[in-house]
Amino acid sequence: MGIYSDADLQAIWLSLKLASLVTLLLMFIGTPIAWWLARSRSRWKAIISALVALPLVLPPSVLGFYLLVAMGSNGPIGELTNALGIGTLAFSFPGLVVGSVIYSLPFVVQPIQNAIEGLGKRPLEVAATLRATPWDTFFSVVLPLAKPGFITAAILGFAHTVGEFGVVLMIGGNIPGETQVVSVQIYEHVEAIEYQQAHALSATMLVFSFVVLTFLYSFNKHARGSSMWGAQK
Amino acid sequence: MPIRAKILLKRGDFTLDVNVDIPDRGVTVFYGHSGAGKTSLLRCIAGLEIANNAQVIFKGETWQDDNRFLPVHKRPLGYIFQEASLFEHLTAQQNLDYALKRADKNKPVFNYQHAVELLGIGSLLQRYPAQLSGGERQRIAIARALLVNPQVLLMDEPLASLDEARKQEILPYLEKIKRDLHIPILYVSHSPDEVARLADHLLALKDGKVVADGPIGDLLSRLDFPIKLGEEAGVVLDAHISEKNSQWHLSKITIAGGELWFRDNGLPIGEQVRVRILARDISLALEKPTDSSIVNCLCVEVVACEADDHPALQLVKLKVSDSVLLARVTSLSAEKLGILPGKKIWALIKSVAIVQ
């Protein structure tokens, strides 16, 4: 692949590694949050919803700045990681993972939350009257019926993490092999007036994003027809 | 041992305040107009709705009181929802398997084959819910509820979302279940027709309170039944087929204190049936008419007479042996015939419906 330099390939690999790990973590973290938001009538719901949605509206630099401060030696996260003997997370791959999880959270939580809300409470009630425990109900009823929402969440979480720039720059800097992901690498090329290289990576990102979104929309179109429960509500 | 249900549920303006013992056999219908609290009561008993204050004791086991709330999935009940509630991602067969897999293994009330045959769903099992009609879905849902081996079956207006033809399709299955199943059934309905066909016991609700509670025969023959039945006022009597007349295609049914002829519908002699006679189908006469087209005349005694909803009408309670009948006549006729308690009179019965 002559059009990519070794550093470019390393950046692509790092982006994919980061996005995969973040997506995996987000599915575990986002699902219970989405479940709670979909089912709860607590007065905390509005506050939690707002917190989850903050990354949608905040400039990435603001988010990145506060994460940087929090992760520094004197910040709450920094003190915790220091106490645990991990050192600080700023300018490291694990730090990037933490930042990305927060940054992409709404993109995972909201599709899952919508899918669970779309199911309504009836399937859950039916499962309970058929002696299914709550865990059993989640795996045998919620997961299969809300599958389109979970798949959408995973794809959006992945794609959004790949496309992240501002937060990475703020908390990760630009360390090859550690925090230098594709979006930062493109910036680097442009700064160095290497437009050819920037073109290669940018076009790759463009095609990737387009393919992902096309897949997502065609998948959702199919899924809608099969979800009778959503249609009845 | 009866099912104890003491429920206090407040939702906005609505308060459900009930304290009843429900018989542990037969079909108890929670009857009332919409908004009376029937479904809320059923859901509170099931644990699907969490009452503010409740005591639910089933066969000596506390399902709910101040200190305890047994989760729904641990309660040995079967529940049938108003609209078909099959899992859309599973075939009919897989829906049944879902119940079988989680069923209480100890005491099967219904084996798989029996349930499939009883509900006539053998040919539907490979289909997905989206490929089934409303009535078919409801039959699968009923079979599924039976296969979980419930000790009590809760049905929330299982016919309400179906059209008249579908209702008539499902009702015979419900009657078969009632006959074959030896567990109590709690059945929510606002349909006098379903009450007549299925109920052994009636729990009438109005504005969140129990206004009448007792065996169906006693309640329906009350002149002061608290929920207006209008055109559907009438009695339900136990009877059996005693004779057949093939020349005129008629069957004779015997009730306590009399015999009635009705159109032969193929039931064999000796069959126990339940007949429903509506108040509007009974006329009264002082003499036995000899020149009338009405076949069924019974000599009855007037028990009581009360004004009906409309001032032009009277509802008359009649008795022959142990059977009680209701007749609706105009106030004018009641005056002319001198209808008073104790008077012997002829009841002309225009129509008898076999409901079971």
Side-chain angles (χ1 to χ4, degrees):
Chain A
M1 293 250 258
I3 56 166
Y4 302 121
S5 69
D6 283 351
D8 290 347
L9 288 174
Q10 199 176 34
I12 291 173
W13 167 242
L14 191 66
S15 277
L16 294 178
K17 189 169 90 168
L18 177 69
S20 306
L21 189 59
V22 166
T23 305
L24 191 70
L25 287 172
L26 276 176
M27 294 309 279
F28 281 103
I29 298 167
T31 302
I33 296 176
W35 175 270
W36 185 82
L37 287 175
R39 312 267 307 140
S40 172
R41 275 188 233 146
S42 157
R43 60 205 162 96
W44 293 96
K45 185 174 163 176
I47 293 171
I48 302 293
S49 296
L51 276 178
V52 168
L54 265 186
L56 288 176
V57 292
L58 271 188
S61 51
V62 171
L63 192 65
F65 170 68
Y66 281 120
L67 279 170
L68 187 64
V69 170
M71 284 176 184
S73 307
N74 300 320
I77 301 177
E79 282 180 4
L80 178 74
T81 51
N82 268 330
L84 293 172
I86 313 170
T88 65
L89 292 176
F91 305 108
S92 71
F93 183 72
L96 222 53
V97 171
V98 172
S100 304
V101 162
I102 293 170
Y103 186 52
S104 296
L105 189 63
F107 291 84
V108 170
V109 168
Q110 288 184 355
I112 298 177
Q113 183 186 343
N114 290 340
I116 293 173
E117 278 171 354
L119 289 185
K121 60 181 179 173
R122 187 48 50 81
L124 309 179
E125 292 185 348
V126 172
T129 66
L130 296 172
R131 309 251 200 294
T133 62
W135 278 108
D136 183 1
T137 302
F138 179 78
F139 287 107
S140 62
V141 176
V142 176
L143 210 50
L145 283 173
K147 195 165 68 183
F150 282 94
I151 292 174
T152 303
I155 293 174
L156 283 181
F158 187 90
H160 190 249
T161 304
V162 167
E164 165 185 1
F165 174 71
V167 174
V168 180
L169 209 61
M170 294 295 281
I171 63 172
N174 193 2
I175 305 165
E178 182 74 22
T179 64
Q180 193 181 65
V181 295
V182 173
S183 56
V184 177
Q185 178 73 346
I186 293 170
Y187 178 70
E188 191 75 354
H189 283 314
V190 174
E191 287 285 278
I193 326 185
E194 296 162 351
Y195 276 34
Q196 206 63 33
Q197 304 268 30
H199 255 312
L201 280 182
S202 297
T204 307
M205 287 288 280
L206 185 70
V207 172
F208 166 77
S209 304
F210 179 71
V211 168
V212 164
L213 288 178
T214 307
F215 175 76
L216 201 61
Y217 281 120
S218 58
F219 170 78
N220 273 349
K221 202 172 113 198
H222 287 301
R224 204 165 296 139
S226 67
S227 173
M228 292 291 290
W229 244 317
Q232 278 175 7
K233 292 284 148 191
Chain B
M1 198 180 292
I3 305 160
R4 260 211 69 57
K6 185 167 180 284
I7 309 277
L8 180 68
L9 175 81
K10 287 185 178 146
R11 288 280 184 275
D13 288 345
F14 175 77
T15 302
L16 177 70
D17 188 0
V18 167
N19 187 353
V20 283
D21 283 325
I22 299 162
D24 63 350
R25 59 185 62 239
V27 177
T28 300
V29 172
F30 296 0
Y31 178 73
H33 299 306
S34 55
K38 318 176 291 282
T39 295
S40 298
L41 175 57
L42 196 72
R43 287 174 59 84
C44 284
I45 292 173
L48 293 171
E49 201 80 48
I50 300 174
N52 305 59
N53 199 322
Q55 189 189 31
V56 180
I57 301 173
F58 178 77
K59 291 190 175 171
E61 189 193 4
T62 301
W63 284 1
Q64 188 178 354
D65 63 15
D66 292 343
N67 310 310
R68 186 176 157 86
F69 181 82
L70 191 68
V72 180
H73 67 270
K74 290 189 178 155
R75 302 186 183 194
L77 54 85
Y79 200 103
I80 292 151
F81 293 84
Q82 196 174 110
E83 76 291 340
S85 51
L86 299 180
F87 296 128
E88 300 283 339
H89 64 298
L90 301 176
T91 61
Q93 175 76 62
Q94 288 166 332
N95 266 282
L96 298 184
D97 291 344
Y98 194 97
L100 278 174
K101 211 172 122 188
R102 292 160 179 83
D104 185 348
K105 301 286 186 293
N106 301 326
K107 35 217 162 205
V109 288
F110 250 72
N111 71 40
Y112 176 79
Q113 213 49 44
H114 187 180
V116 169
E117 276 166 26
L118 184 94
L119 288 149
I121 52 176
S123 61
L124 310 173
L125 294 175
Q126 299 317 312
R127 299 200 205 153
Y128 279 93
Q131 299 164 308
L132 297 169
S133 73
E136 288 167 340
R137 284 193 227 182
Q138 201 53 295
R139 272 149 62 195
I140 307 274
I142 294 168
R144 186 178 63 177
L146 293 174
L147 289 177
V148 84
N149 277 342
Q151 290 175 38
V152 55
L153 192 60
L154 277 54
M155 303 176 119
D156 180 10
E157 304 211 41
L159 307 181
S161 63
L162 305 174
D163 59 36
E164 198 48 44
R166 297 289 174 205
K167 275 182 198 169
Q168 296 310 322
E169 169 198 326
I170 304 270
L171 263 168
Y173 294 109
L174 295 180
E175 285 169 348
K176 277 196 261 178
I177 289 169
K178 172 180 151 83
R179 188 193 63 207
D180 288 11
L181 197 63
H182 301 293
I183 60 171
I185 298 175
L186 313 186
Y187 188 103
V188 168
S189 177
H190 66 263
S191 149
D193 184 40
E194 285 166 42
V195 170
R197 289 178 68 155
L198 297 169
D200 296 311
H201 195 91
L202 201 59
L203 193 75
L205 289 149
K206 196 174 181 181
D207 302 327
K209 295 202 165 39
V210 175
V211 286
D213 174 16
I216 174 90
D218 298 354
L219 279 195
L220 285 184
S221 60
R222 267 172 57 177
L223 288 176
D224 59 344
F225 187 68
I227 296 173
K228 289 298 168 208
L229 292 165
E231 288 298 295
E232 302 277 357
V235 294
V236 170
L237 300 170
D238 289 320
H240 66 271
I241 311 262
S242 51
E243 200 182 318
K244 294 213 169 209
N245 183 321
S246 54
Q247 187 191 351
W248 301 108
H249 306 286
L250 292 172
S251 290
K252 186 161 86 180
I253 51 168
T254 301
I255 58 169
E259 291 169 342
L260 301 168
W261 286 97
F262 79 108
R263 167 163 72 88
D264 184 8
N265 62 357
L267 290 170
I269 288 173
E271 183 83 359
Q272 293 292 324
V273 293
R274 174 183 269 196
V275 297
R276 183 178 186 208
I277 305 173
L278 295 176
R280 63 167 191 231
D281 289 334
I282 299 185
S283 305
L284 299 177
L286 291 176
E287 312 255 331
K288 182 174 185 174
T290 50
D291 53 356
S292 156
S293 68
I294 291 171
V295 180
N296 295 309
C297 295
L298 294 175
C299 184
V300 297
E301 184 189 328
V302 175
V303 180
C305 184
E306 242 177 60
D308 203 2
D309 303 354
H310 194 277
L313 298 172
Q314 300 262 315
L315 212 49
V316 185
K317 185 170 179 174
L318 309 161
K319 195 178 82 171
V320 46
S321 175
D322 287 336
S323 300
V324 173
L325 298 171
L326 287 185
R328 171 175 288 142
V329 297
T330 60
S331 306
L332 174 67
S333 314
E335 175 77 29
K336 254 173 39 184
L337 298 182
I339 290 173
L340 289 169
K343 189 177 177 78
K344 296 274 183 195
I345 202 164
W346 288 90
L348 282 53
I349 302 167
K350 278 172 260 179
S351 159
V352 178
I354 299 281
V355 289
Q356 193 175 298

